[in-house]
Amino acid sequence: MSLFSTLVLAQVAVSMQAVSPVLAFPEPGVDDSAAYEGYRTRFVQDAAGNTVQIYINQREGRVVHLWADAANASAGLTIRDGAGRPARVDWGAGPTRIGTDGGTRVVEYELTAPAGPLELGAFVMASMRLERDFQYQRGHLAPFGTAHPGQPELLELIARLDRLPAAERQRQLAVLGTANTAELRARLEPSLRQSGPAVRRVIRVEQPTFDGRNRLSLELTFGNADAALDADQRAIAVRPRGAEPIRIGVRIATDNAPLDPLEPDEIFNPDFVRFHRRLEAAATGAEGAARLHRLERQIRSIELVGSEQKLMAGLPNYATYFGRDMLMSALMLEPIWTSDMIEHVLASVLRKLNAAGEVSHEEALGGQAIRENAVVYNAIMDEALSEPAGPRADSLLDRARTVLGGLQAVRENYHMVDDDFQLAVLAGRYLADTTVTAERRRAFLLAGDDAAAGPRLERLLRNLAFVARAAAPYARDPAHGNLISFAERPDGRWSPGSWRDSGAGYGNGRFAMDVNVIWVPQALVSMGRILAALGTLGFGADDLAAYADRDELDALLEHARDPAGLDAVTAAWRGARRHFEVVLTPDEARARARTALADMPEHERDFWQARLDALPPAEADVRFLAVALDSAGRPIPVVNTDPATHLFLEEPAVLAARAAETLRDVDALMMPYPVGVFVPELGPLVANDVYAAPAVRTAFREDLYHSPRVVWGREVNLLMLGLARNIAAAYDGAGRLRDPAASAYVERLRDALARTTAAVDASGLKHNELWSYRIEDGRLLPIRYGASTDIQLWNLTDLAVQFALDRL
């Protein structure tokens, strides 16, 4: 029997079941272990079917447990050797067990560490968001007892409670289940206590939520070592009894609410199931077996991030709802998903719309929701404390108590712009899908997740009305100032409100190309599709007025009654690309590239300069769509991969009718770096800033996330899906070109697809969220990007890529 079974299981009357990890990275023979640099992770599903991820970062000695449930909670600790260095912790030999203990879900497993003294500390047990921020701030690397996760909002809340008259303070403390603020301060950090003799010591680390309603616990047992608490450093000192590796039993437990897992047969449609079975039957050789294994790993990954309530954006750092990630992934996975999955995504997004019809970008759960609601409480209390006694002060105090009573209420943010226009595109595809019965589509629209929110149709109309209002100014006057703008920040810069949401992603642009050239026109096209579908489902223009405020729907109802008017609005927006077009002569392009290369470190400059010099003399101008416009409407000349989204979303017939324009966009994606974004050993870089101003290039060097150092798997998949979709559409059911005159056009698309496939295969990293490179000894070496997510929802769209390529 394992160490954990003998020392821990005997202490608790729980029913436990041994399970194997659903997934583990890196896998020998599948992943490049060297690229993971001492990082390893396992995924299990707990007794409620919720995902639990455990990861070990050996380089930093950090062990983190993520519970991907309704609270997004985590328990992290750092383990160091006797010299204060990160300990080389690894998985132990004992089994992983799952079970329940009263109202808690429990997971148990073992770790092992090299023989020698150990110290365990830097315990953070709260939301995964807090763990993520703690690591970003390098708190997990600080001496034990000196770094604490910052939660200033909660300290400020306590300070306001202390300022209240005693009677009101007690009323508010009672809401939080305590009699004094000292206990609230104690809840900001986990408690540590030990039990049992030294030879069988159990250290229990427990963290209540700030409102006292939930608890997360971590128990550590040391079977062949002595352990003792160091109260000053809030750490555990461990001393081995022999020369064997130290075995550490770990038991984590939570009473947070679980999510409702998806059933596997809810996810993939019959066409994909048949594709999967064909691969199974053909997987006789090593190459076929490896392909099948990767495909099945991605299938398991979708099961791990999926639930009835939402699809999580990524594990471990983004185990929550992200509107954009769900909508984009659903659009890409639509050919292989069941209609159940599309309905799950639409229902989740519609449930979270705000009153204006905007899509929620991200939710805050559990401990993060507490922190954000504390900000609301603090603002109310600032008003209340400045008011003289009277009805207004009493009303403010009532509101404050209400907020305290719901500190874990889910918070949403609506800061992003692109997702507001993506909802219509997915809804349009679903409602126009005649393979889904009219009765089912109508029932979906009339259903609601709660009576107060009303039917889904009402919320969908609210979003469509938002799109109609937002699009109207540019349709009336197609000047750059009427394009969809990012919000201005207090420092005067523009907040990046689309997917390139790092500080450098849009070059401090105000008007994003992807929003204005791609998403708004596609939302308008989809609006027409939705209104037509609603008519066939029995919801005419007059019927729609019953589902929302008439004033709110005026512009939308006008479009419902006048499809030609909507077509005119769409046509105006299709012309928006003219604002973003950049044209450089061959000489100008190469001169700017050489200037930018001069800023690189010498070994990188020499490598890319050689690539530039090896390019054949260019005869044609360099043309591309700028990533954004500045406030004056000037293009910010950063070559980018966003045209891949247009290639994916636009109807193939429309793209073929504008073949010259379509091929210019494809050529921009296939131009070799440093002229374009394409690197044969890597794939398409997400951006190329060589033509941009020095300040833009400096910003990209300081913030690499969306820079010329990175390939994004999402962009690769969009490009490959777009190319495959347009190639497939060029042929009839007998495999003949529908238009023989389109032969050259189709061959250009095929060439781009073949080159992209070869490049990302050569990188060896195409299953990662994003990847980068380094230049070493005159060679380009692909490497895993440091902040890459282990499971990323929109990277799992590679399943749709494989399916699409198989059908060509």
Side-chain angles (χ1 to χ4, degrees):
M1 183 174 280
S2 71
L3 161 74
F4 204 94
S5 299
T6 55
L7 296 187
V8 176
L9 296 185
Q11 302 174 34
V12 290
V14 295
S15 174
M16 304 298 293
Q17 172 189 359
V19 296
S20 298
V22 177
L23 288 177
F25 306 147
E27 281 188 271
V30 179
D31 301 304
D32 179 1
S33 296
Y36 280 77
E37 299 179 298
Y39 178 92
R40 54 210 58 204
T41 186
R42 287 178 174 175
F43 301 83
V44 299
Q45 289 175 306
D46 68 15
N50 284 199
T51 298
V52 178
Q53 179 179 2
I54 307 164
Y55 74 76
I56 301 168
N57 184 339
Q58 291 182 332
R59 288 182 303 152
E60 298 178 347
R62 192 71 177 167
V63 180
V64 176
H65 312 80
L66 162 70
W67 228 303
D69 58 11
N72 186 33
S74 68
L77 69 153
T78 297
I79 305 178
R80 296 176 182 154
D81 65 18
R85 297 171 302 219
R88 299 287 293 182
V89 181
D90 212 334
W91 308 116
T96 299
R97 299 179 185 274
I98 62 171
T100 57
D101 180 5
T104 66
R105 288 168 285 132
V106 180
V107 175
E108 302 169 347
Y109 73 102
E110 286 184 2
L111 293 171
T112 184
L118 295 176
E119 280 194 301
L120 288 71
F123 295 97
V124 176
M125 301 177 66
S127 73
M128 186 63 201
R129 180 80 166 268
L130 193 66
E131 171 69 32
R132 189 181 80 194
D133 292 346
F134 186 62
Q135 291 193 36
Y136 285 166
Q137 295 156 10
R138 316 306 284 167
H140 63 303
L141 302 179
F144 291 154
T146 64
H148 307 279
Q151 299 188 78
E153 314 89 348
L154 302 184
L155 290 171
E156 292 167 11
L157 185 154
I158 294 170
R160 284 161 177 78
L161 285 170
D162 281 334
R163 291 173 57 192
L164 285 170
E168 177 61 27
R169 181 167 61 250
Q170 290 308 121
R171 286 185 70 187
Q172 296 199 19
L173 286 171
V175 175
L176 297 174
T178 184
N180 57 74
T181 55
E183 183 179 336
L184 286 183
R185 288 188 178 86
R187 290 177 185 174
L188 295 178
E189 290 193 277
S191 62
L192 283 75
R193 58 186 176 84
Q194 59 188 16
S195 61
V199 295
R200 291 191 175 184
R201 182 143 295 162
V202 176
I203 308 291
R204 181 177 175 85
V205 188
E206 185 173 87
Q207 177 71 66
T209 53
F210 185 76
D211 60 2
R213 296 189 176 186
N214 297 99
R215 275 174 168 68
L216 184 67
S217 66
L218 169 71
E219 287 185 1
L220 303 169
T221 306
F222 306 88
N224 58 348
D226 296 331
L229 286 178
D230 182 330
D232 292 335
Q233 295 187 344
R234 298 182 57 78
I236 303 168
V238 180
R239 298 296 177 262
R241 295 193 216 105
E244 294 180 352
I246 296 174
R247 290 172 290 141
I248 307 170
V250 183
R251 180 182 194 264
I252 55 172
T254 182
D255 63 0
N256 287 310
L259 298 171
D260 300 310
L262 295 171
E263 295 297 327
D265 59 3
E266 288 184 78
I267 301 173
F268 297 104
N269 64 28
D271 286 342
F272 183 80
V273 172
R274 284 190 290 271
F275 166 65
H276 182 196
R277 287 173 180 164
R278 283 203 316 276
L279 287 188
E280 286 180 318
T284 53
E287 184 176 342
R291 182 187 180 192
L292 176 64
H293 181 76
R294 281 199 176 276
L295 179 126
E296 291 181 337
R297 193 161 82 165
Q298 291 178 317
I299 290 171
R300 297 289 89 75
S301 295
I302 285 188
E303 294 172 3
L304 290 172
V305 300
S307 70
E308 298 281 349
Q309 290 84 357
K310 63 192 167 196
L311 300 174
M312 290 171 276
L315 303 174
N317 287 336
Y318 305 102
T320 57
Y321 162 103
F322 279 74
R324 173 196 302 129
D325 298 61
M326 283 207 310
L327 290 165
M328 283 294 301
S329 299
L331 286 165
M332 297 164 77
L333 289 162
E334 181 193 15
I336 66 172
W337 267 1
T338 64
S339 52
D340 291 335
M341 291 297 289
I342 303 301
E343 289 173 351
H344 284 317
V345 171
L346 288 172
S348 181
V349 175
L350 288 168
R351 184 168 58 247
K352 291 173 174 287
L353 286 186
N354 68 6
E358 295 171 298
V359 168
S360 170
H361 167 59
E362 179 185 5
E363 66 184 2
L365 304 173
Q368 182 62 25
I370 288 174
R371 293 172 63 189
E372 294 187 17
N373 282 308
V375 173
V376 176
Y377 169 87
N378 292 340
I380 296 170
M381 286 300 299
D382 285 342
E383 285 191 71
L385 291 167
S386 65
E387 281 286 324
R392 174 163 169 74
D394 291 343
S395 174
L396 288 167
L397 291 172
D398 283 342
R399 285 175 55 198
R401 287 191 294 272
T402 299
V403 173
L404 279 186
L407 279 181
Q408 290 198 51
V410 176
R411 300 278 302 173
E412 313 287 347
N413 88 57
Y414 299 90
H415 301 158
M416 292 293 153
V417 174
D418 56 338
D419 48 15
D420 300 329
F421 300 94
Q422 290 167 355
L423 172 58
V425 180
L426 183 64
R429 292 191 180 186
Y430 169 75
L431 291 173
D433 183 359
T434 55
T435 67
V436 182
T437 67
E439 292 78 9
R440 177 169 177 169
R441 285 176 283 155
R442 184 179 173 88
F444 174 79
L445 289 170
L446 293 178
D449 298 293
D450 63 75
R456 293 182 185 126
L457 175 57
E458 179 181 320
R459 281 168 278 166
L460 176 59
L461 294 175
R462 194 186 311 159
N463 174 256
L464 294 179
F466 171 87
V467 172
R469 291 194 303 272
Y474 186 82
R476 287 193 298 267
D477 177 12
H480 81 268
N482 288 326
L483 293 167
I484 304 299
S485 172
F486 288 154
E488 188 172 10
R489 299 192 317 202
D491 63 2
R493 293 177 63 83
W494 299 100
S495 179
S498 191
W499 83 275
R500 297 172 183 264
D501 53 358
S502 58
Y506 288 94
N508 192 34
R510 177 179 180 182
F511 307 101
M513 187 274 286
D514 65 315
V515 172
N516 289 284
V517 176
I518 302 171
W519 286 112
V520 176
Q522 289 299 317
L524 292 167
V525 169
S526 298
M527 183 188 297
R529 189 176 293 140
I530 291 169
L531 292 172
L534 289 175
T536 67
L537 297 175
F539 302 106
D542 293 334
D543 302 304
L544 297 181
Y547 288 93
D549 179 81
R550 180 60 181 264
D551 293 337
E552 179 185 82
L553 283 182
D554 273 350
L556 179 62
L557 293 176
E558 182 180 338
H559 291 326
R561 295 189 177 99
D562 180 18
L566 177 57
D567 290 344
V569 172
T570 304
W573 273 96
R574 286 194 185 279
R577 68 178 284 137
R578 65 187 172 85
H579 301 289
F580 297 84
E581 291 173 343
V582 176
V583 181
L584 302 173
T585 67
D587 289 343
E588 184 181 9
R590 293 203 179 201
R592 289 199 194 183
R594 288 192 180 92
T595 299
L597 294 181
D599 294 336
M600 291 184 176
E602 182 178 0
H603 67 294
E604 294 186 3
R605 179 181 67 237
D606 291 347
F607 179 87
W608 292 117
Q609 185 65 59
R611 288 278 175 104
L612 181 63
D613 293 342
L615 294 177
E619 298 179 0
D621 292 338
V622 172
R623 295 173 176 268
F624 60 91
L625 295 174
V627 73
L629 307 180
D630 66 15
S631 297
R634 295 179 296 245
I636 296 171
V638 173
V639 192
N640 60 89
T641 52
D642 288 340
T645 302
H646 182 239
L647 190 68
F648 167 70
L649 290 174
E650 187 60 271
E651 288 300 319
V654 174
L655 293 172
R658 301 174 178 175
E661 180 180 276
T662 300
L663 291 176
R664 281 200 300 272
D665 288 349
V666 172
D667 288 346
L669 293 166
M670 304 312 296
M671 287 189 302
Y673 185 81
V675 174
V677 295
F678 192 77
V679 180
E681 308 94 324
L682 210 64
L685 299 170
V686 74
N688 179 3
D689 60 3
V690 298
Y691 308 123
V696 173
R697 300 201 302 271
T698 297
F700 274 122
R701 282 198 301 272
E702 294 174 352
D703 190 344
L704 299 178
Y705 200 47
H706 296 100
S707 79
R709 301 288 304 201
V710 177
V711 176
W712 275 71
R714 140 193 162 128
E715 296 297 278
V716 168
N717 292 347
L718 280 166
L719 175 57
M720 295 180 74
L721 285 170
L723 290 167
R725 181 171 182 244
N726 283 276
I727 293 167
Y731 293 88
D732 62 21
R736 296 184 297 262
L737 275 175
R738 299 179 190 277
D739 178 6
S743 176
Y745 169 73
V746 175
E747 284 308 306
R748 292 272 293 278
L749 299 183
R750 284 191 180 277
D751 177 68
L753 180 58
R755 290 174 60 193
T756 303
T757 301
V760 298
D761 285 347
S763 76
L765 294 164
K766 72 174 183 177
H767 298 285
N768 286 264
E769 177 197 4
L770 55 166
W771 56 95
S772 185
Y773 69 88
R774 68 173 181 267
I775 305 299
E776 188 174 287
D777 298 328
R779 295 181 303 129
L780 184 147
L781 302 178
I783 58 173
R784 186 173 182 265
Y785 187 77
S788 184
T789 299
D790 296 315
I791 296 177
Q792 182 76 23
L793 176 60
W794 59 29
N795 240 56
L796 299 177
T797 58
D798 179 64
L799 289 168
V801 173
Q802 294 185 58
F803 180 76
L805 295 181
D806 182 73
R807 295 166 75 88
L808 283 182

